[in-house]
Amino acid sequence: MPVDHKRINGPEESVPYELFARLSGLTSEKAFEQLYKAGKRSDGREFEEHRKIFLKNGAVSQAKGSAYIEMGQTKVIVSVFDPREIPNRSDYSLKGELYCEFKFAPFSCAKRRLHQQDNEEKQYSCIMKKALESAVCLHELPNFQVDIYALVMHNDGSALSAAITAAGVALVEAGVPMYDIITSVTVGIQQGVKLVDPDSLEEQMCQVQFLSEKYQDNNHGLLIISKLHTQEQLCQFYQNGYVSLEVLKSGLEVLSKTCEVIVPLVQKCLIKHITNGIKS
Amino acid sequence: MAEQYKSLHPAKYYRDHLKHDIRPDGRELSDFRPVVINVGSIKTADGSSIVKIGNTTVVCGIKAEISRPKADAATKGFLVPNVELSPVCSSKFKPGPPSDQAQVLTQIIADIVGNSQCINLEELCIFPDKIAWCLYADLICIDYDGSLIDACALALISCLKVVSLPEVSYDPSLDKQQVNLEKRTPINVNSVFVSTTFAIFDDKLILADPTVEEENLCTGTLTIVTCNDELCYVHKPGGSPLVDEQMSDCIEKCMNRSNSIKKLIKTAILENI
Amino acid sequence: MKEDSLVCLPGQRLSICDKIYTSGQGTYERKGYIYSMLGGVVDIVEKNGLKVLEVHSNGQNTVIPSQGDIVTAEVYIITQQHAKCHIKCIGNTVLKSSFRAIIRKEYVRVTEKDKVEIYKSFRPGDIILARVLPITEAHSYQLSTAENELGVVIAHSEHGYPMIPVSWTEMQCPKTLVKEPRKVAKVVPENMTTDILSVLQNNV
Amino acid sequence: MSLCDAEKTFILHGVAENFRSDGRDREGYRPIEIETDIVQHAFGSARLRLANTDILVAVKIEVDTPLPERPFEGKIEFFVDCSANATPDFEGRGGETLAIELSNILASAYKSPKTFNLKKLCILKGKKCWKLYVDILILECGGNLFDAVSLAVKAALFNTKVPLIKSVNIDGDNVELDVSDNVFDCERLDVTNAPVMVTVCKIGDNCVVDPNLAEEQCSVGSIVVAISQEYFSTVTSIGIGSLHAQTLCSSLELGQKVGIRLNEALMDTLSHITSDQDFGFLK
Amino acid sequence: MSRKKELLSRVGLRLDGRRADELRRIRCKLGVFTQPDGSAYIEQGLTKVLAAVYGPHQVRSKQKAQHDTCIINTQFSMAVFSTNERKKRPRGDRKSTELSMHLQQALLAVIKTELYPWSQIDVYVEVLHGDGGIYPACVNAATLAIIDAGIPIKEYVCACTASLGNNDIPMLDVSHQEEVIGGPTLTVAALPMSGKIVLMEMSQRFHLDHLPKVLDKALEGCKDIKAILDEAVKNHVREMGSSTGWANTTS
Amino acid sequence: MEVIESFENNLNLKCKLQVLSRADGSAMFSEGQTVVLSAIYGPVEVKMQKLLIEKASVESVFKPKSGLPGVSDRYKEYLIKNICETALASALYPRTAVLVNLQEMQNQGQLISCAINAVCLACLDSGIDMKFLFGAVSYFLTKEEELTLTPPINESSVKAMFVFVFNNTKGDVIASHTEGRFSIDQYKTALDICRDEVKKVFIFFKETLLDT
């Protein structure tokens, strides 16, 4: 790793200690085994039940709009700053632009992440930008750029959907004109079982393909969508893994149903913000 | 309308308030903002803490990794503190490499940890010259509203107090190490440092625990870090000169504040267990 | 704000869009319905028989200088041809981050446009009131002070004391009685925002 | 390449009548040409021209140590370079966002072991494995970059010759491998399940495949679907614009159908290519 | 110095069977792409280079615009797989910036820039396979691309490398192998008709009395290359012309 | 806790002005074994983003002896930048920039105080308006709780180090930087002793200016 002159550097190479631990023996297949038998998930949730969400806006006093979200253990904070001119662009563009940055804190995942943005974070920033671009009325902000920064403090699964939902709330609080309220959900698919809002263990389990002959169905993967509430439109759709068409379609229904479940919560948070905005 | 006046003449706006010894947010000159400490909320880190001083919020997470000690310091482990002013906390900071202010803060926090000798690096060494612990302490500022050194120092010390490392057995002949995840032992922290920052306004008024507007308008800052009823850091980077009495009453205020903060840390840690 | 005002969220359908109801500021019209664009309070404004639906969010909305707005700006550089300034507030809303703007020589005053000297009209550090001209360039707004009510509002003399307007071309420092040439805004109370007036009073 | 509204409506009507401006129907592809073994230095290379989109892919192989958490598997890394030849705004760092987006989509498409089995690239568990560098050079953009790149990558991997390891001797920590220097005895990579990407563009209210630059301009929303043996290995929405759930399902079906057909066409052209027809750009 | 002996066998043949003053096989084609205004592809031996020309068009950054001439903006980049050792980054390192500046100098000497004030011509060069003589191949490819773009130039600018075999016989058009083993190489970019030298670059050391010999050999090489390029341009124009029916007017 | 250093043994300061031709003011200053070269360029044209309307913007660069400037050099730059901002009468040069460049030549322990004195000398040499002069003294507390002016030979025996910067008008503390742990009254005694020592530094400044 090249020496970073702008930070204090530790030893050249260091290895996470989990590698030297006795393998916990709980491979993904065994974990799936227990889960499948119990018919319930490790934290007692149904397969299609979303974790408890805590959503608060105005978390960052310095930002124009900000939101802090906790989905189960996953903690994400998003802040939105008021529009500034698009840097290094001279021609007059009629549509505004969004600049999104999605970052995991170095301590937020099991394996330590670097300070610089790696490829996965760049991909997530790109997906988040796509989701929000179709929700924000860009023609209202000609030639301006809105900066949106998301920081994941604790990644316990579906961090990207938490960030997108929180960004939607932060944008509304920042007074940025938007077409609709945006909510986003992740589902993990393994052997045809759909786990809504998977935590980090379940996310790992769904990325792995089971080899043992007991499991013939080779559907496995991760599906993230974000949806506009009243327009019933999907503004972002991302899937990886190895999924057949029918499973993908049924996954889609489950997801749009769960998006509707989250919307009232986002609305309550926003209305609380507007009402005490009126009172003060 | 007051807001418009404040944005056009911030200095005059503040002077009008300070004439009656009141600050715009209603605090007395030497009042401190409420402090909230929460430890151990991030499970993926070996130790974590979130500190809020007024609006300023800093999250500290410590991840332990195994590494090889340096040749010249064969019996010493590593403690690598880094302060990150993330673009989340204020529109002043852009994504990319750390700004000068972030680097200065990193150096100050590293000095404070070094001076206070709160962690004995020898204890972090598992087997001399072969393997040692390397604690990456990452402090991320979530909300930048002034006196950031205090928030970072408090976040780091409360995080260090809750760090627990798994037990490692090293077999020199096979050069193999075995980690036992179940048995986790906390590291012992020899001293607790508490930092307090003062802002000097118009060369005479001393404001305790300044907000970001006050920091921008003040003509100098003074940061004092106490450590077990001794001092381990007195940092005054230029700015308007201070007379000796002002200096000593700042030190005096700083001592009794550190007692109250130490109690706060104890209660936060008790809640966590 | 009245207590019983209707609160709306972005994307909320407000009404059918037909002859009577049209979409105003803060709303958009799609497939025959008017939807709200902001989170805030709905106002129905009667304009010659037409009900215009408008949504105002509580002061937080993103305001951008548009043509014709009166803005308060601070001059930071002057050259022969123009004065560069930062726009601090648009009308009554204070901006968190300032926008860049420029006042060209020919837009400083109405009379004898060509004999204008910039250094006789503005000095760096002055607070001015100006009107936004049609937006042509991408990154900096064109301002004009070519009206009597526009121009320098608050200026500090060489020695740092706020000055009092003596005529519409000069301002005087109360302490040193030095007269400095400025393009002074004619102080018309109803046009000026009250508090800036109060600022002038309590400084004298 | 900005279109006025009249041109957009013209394209819209063309798509509605299932008869596009260049005579194709909604599911028609423009003529594709593939040449393999273009680059001498590379272990496998392919050049693909989809009308005026021109992609050159070269695969290089190096010995590497496997990741600690996945000791059995080799590694594959995608690097996309947008050459300024394509458009002046790719000059310097201009083409970086597109390059990152392309390499990320390829990485997630090849992530699942069902599509491309990395275990075959492992030489010695935990110690030595092959690392595949797939370098993609975009020489000209004529629309529908994702399909062209995925086909070119699959062709290049099909053409890759992995050197045979004669013997592996381990003493203590370091491992010596001696590779058979005779060029011809080498293994081939199993590419049957490698994913093929199809971009489905929604213009007006029906979906179109293989959009050219003009059609990409007036598409409301589009998705990229990576198909491997009628399974979806990656699906991403690109561009601005949102899709109704219904249109999304129909475009997924269309993508799957076209993807399977495209994959078959590619596989049999690849098997028919004989190694001597090398004429590159001079044709 | 002894190792350089094997470069030229007693019979006067080089490692790849060429004689001392023989160029590598040059094959080129104009109009390879549709998007750029002019494009060309050249193969000198195994070195393969693609060139594309955009312009003359409006200058992107206003401060660089000049009122009397057109500015030439070049970018040289080598494909990551072009050398047998995989390169980390295609461009951006010092060597590629230096080569693009040299390319700019060579083209500035030729293009009639005063005809296009306030405008800019972009010349991009991409090396697909590097086997020695990379810079000359780029200059020749750029010349062809500019001709294909219809930009008026005073003369062809051709470039060639020359080296010293068995430290007294000048050798022409050095391949990568000979560059690595062989002695000093001289790179010359010249206007063959008027014999003017646009750019001369030398690696390692030349003895004074060897230099003129090698320089003349290089200039001869440029003349031969010019003949080949000229012939390729004629074929291209004839081929283009035939599709529009005016081929039968010329000879 | 008696004071080892007697009064008359000054800090053997040595200095040479006008060392660099291109700089407006430059000084090669050594304090004991520590040597620092400093240069002042000012008031010069300022970049647009750094422009301040009513005063000059001060920028400082600190180059270590070897290697690229790291995080600790950023801290020294920050310290020197703030000291210069208070000492220089920057209001007389609005909308301009003053650049302070420092190169560490040798470091025996008093690097920061040597750098600060070097900057003050360079300011004097450049003739830029200053509100007051500033001088720095470093003071060491050894493991055996003795306070001494000269840095002890081996690093490990240093328990704490104080660097104080005073102005020459009223002798108030402009800047203070400390390392290691110390008690409050140790800090206060060190402060008083340094205040007397700094008078010698100012005398040294006058002498160097007189005899160049």
Side-chain angles (χ1 to χ4, degrees), chain E:
Chain E
M1 288 294 277
S2 65
R3 263 184 36 265
K4 276 201 275 316
K5 283 267 173 317
E6 306 84 20
L7 267 185
L8 264 171
S9 68
R10 282 175 320 287
V11 176
L13 289 182
R14 289 154 60 163
L15 296 175
D16 48 15
R18 285 187 286 157
R19 252 179 299 287
D21 54 0
E22 204 185 324
L23 287 172
R24 288 179 293 182
R25 191 162 66 108
I26 295 179
R27 299 190 298 180
C28 40
K29 185 161 189 335
L30 283 89
V32 182
F33 297 129
T34 53
Q35 295 277 348
D37 301 326
S39 58
Y41 169 76
I42 193 165
E43 272 184 19
Q44 280 188 257
L46 289 175
T47 302
K48 300 184 173 82
V49 175
L50 266 170
V53 169
Y54 289 87
H57 54 74
Q58 198 190 6
V59 183
R60 233 171 271 115
S61 57
K62 286 201 193 55
Q63 0 5 4
K64 276 199 267 177
Q66 282 158 7
H67 69 283
D68 52 358
T69 66
C70 142
I71 56 170
I72 311 272
N73 161 31
T74 56
Q75 179 185 281
F76 167 91
S77 97
M78 282 182 83
V80 173
F81 42 78
S82 57
T83 53
N84 44 28
E85 186 58 43
R86 181 177 182 270
K87 280 161 66 83
K88 270 283 157 277
R89 285 189 347 183
R91 50 190 171 280
D93 54 353
R94 282 196 186 77
K95 177 169 161 301
S96 45
T97 359
E98 183 207 1
L99 280 178
S100 42
M101 274 216 292
H102 287 176
L103 188 63
Q104 187 180 17
Q105 272 162 10
L107 296 177
L108 266 176
V110 169
I111 298 180
K112 297 178 78 62
T113 50
E114 63 285 357
L115 295 177
Y116 305 100
W118 294 111
S119 62
Q120 171 182 344
I121 297 180
D122 294 325
V123 180
Y124 302 121
V125 172
E126 186 81 36
V127 176
L128 300 184
H129 188 280
D131 178 34
I134 293 170
Y135 176 70
C138 295
V139 170
N140 302 335
T143 312
L144 290 177
I146 285 173
I147 294 168
D148 184 40
I151 297 173
I153 54 174
K154 300 183 185 98
E155 228 196 289
Y156 281 63
V157 57
C158 305
C160 181
T161 59
S163 167
L164 211 56
N166 307 11
N167 60 37
D168 61 353
I169 307 156
M171 299 193 316
L172 209 54
D173 201 355
V174 184
S175 73
H176 182 64
Q177 216 181 4
E178 285 162 351
E179 247 171 40
V180 167
I181 303 169
T185 53
L186 173 78
T187 313
V188 172
L191 310 182
M193 307 293 282
S194 52
K196 294 207 199 79
I197 294 176
V198 173
L199 179 130
M200 194 162 96
E201 196 194 16
M202 211 159 43
S203 77
Q204 296 170 26
R205 292 193 309 270
F206 262 99
H207 195 281
L208 249 188
D209 45 29
H210 288 171
L211 190 59
K213 264 195 305 184
V214 178
L215 187 56
D216 301 344
K217 188 62 75 176
L219 286 176
E220 262 166 49
C222 291
K223 285 198 184 64
D224 307 344
I225 291 176
K226 190 252 175 204
I228 299 170
L229 297 188
D230 200 19
E231 202 249 341
V233 168
K234 285 201 175 73
N235 296 346
H236 173 68
V237 170
R238 188 172 299 115
E239 184 193 294
M240 293 285 288
S242 63
S243 58
T244 59
W246 51 272
N248 40 37
T249 52
T250 58
S251 63

Side-chain angles (χ1 to χ4, degrees), chain D residues 14-185:
Chain D
V15 167
E17 267 115 34
N18 195 1
F19 187 80
R20 291 197 263 179
S21 48
D22 49 17
R24 291 179 288 155
D25 60 3
R26 286 197 206 106
E27 286 151 18
Y29 259 76
R30 291 173 288 180
I32 301 176
E33 284 168 28
I34 293 182
E35 291 146 296
T36 56
D37 226 352
I38 299 278
V39 179
Q40 279 76 11
H41 282 311
F43 290 81
S45 60
R47 175 179 173 229
L48 181 127
R49 275 201 290 190
L50 169 65
N52 56 6
T53 301
D54 202 324
I55 311 283
L56 184 60
V57 177
V59 177
K60 287 205 162 195
I61 301 182
E62 275 169 16
V63 181
D64 197 357
T65 51
L67 293 171
E69 55 265 24
R70 280 202 293 277
F72 300 96
E73 289 177 1
K75 295 185 206 166
I76 186 166
E77 186 187 310
F78 295 94
F79 174 78
V80 176
D81 170 23
C82 298
S83 142
N85 291 11
T87 61
D89 19 343
F90 279 172
E91 194 186 343
R93 299 171 67 89
E96 227 168 81
T97 38
L98 177 67
I100 287 173
E101 193 177 353
L102 266 169
S103 51
N104 282 338
I105 282 192
L106 276 170
S108 79
Y110 277 78
K111 187 189 272 183
S112 151
K114 285 287 268 180
T115 57
F116 187 72
N117 196 345
L118 292 174
K119 288 201 172 41
K120 291 213 179 58
L121 295 177
C122 176
I123 305 168
L124 189 64
K125 169 183 172 299
K127 282 276 191 300
K128 289 280 182 218
C129 71
W130 291 117
K131 174 157 190 178
L132 281 177
Y133 286 103
V134 181
D135 301 321
I136 297 133
L137 180 61
I138 297 176
L139 295 170
E140 202 179 359
C141 299
N144 201 7
L145 263 183
F146 292 94
D147 300 24
V149 165
S150 70
L151 292 172
V153 164
K154 186 160 183 170
L157 289 174
F158 177 83
N159 174 257
T160 303
K161 295 181 266 308
V162 179
L164 205 60
I165 302 282
K166 272 218 284 283
S167 70
V168 173
N169 39 41
I170 315 158
D171 47 9
D173 231 351
N174 47 33
V175 179
E176 278 92 24
L177 312 162
D178 66 354
V179 179
S180 74
D181 41 23
N182 139 12
V183 175
F184 288 103
D185 60 358

Side-chain angles (χ1 to χ4, degrees), chain A residues 57-74:
Chain A
N57 64 351
V60 177
S61 62
Q62 299 298 310
K64 189 96 193 287
S66 58
Y68 170 69
I69 187 168
E70 271 189 26
M71 278 157 77
Q73 289 290 342
T74 302

Side-chain angles (χ1 to χ4, degrees), chain C residues 149-167:
Chain C
E149 300 81 19
L150 301 177
V152 175
V153 177
I154 299 153
H156 290 264
S157 67
E158 299 296 331
H159 321 291
Y161 298 104
M163 295 196 286
I164 326 144
V166 181
S167 78

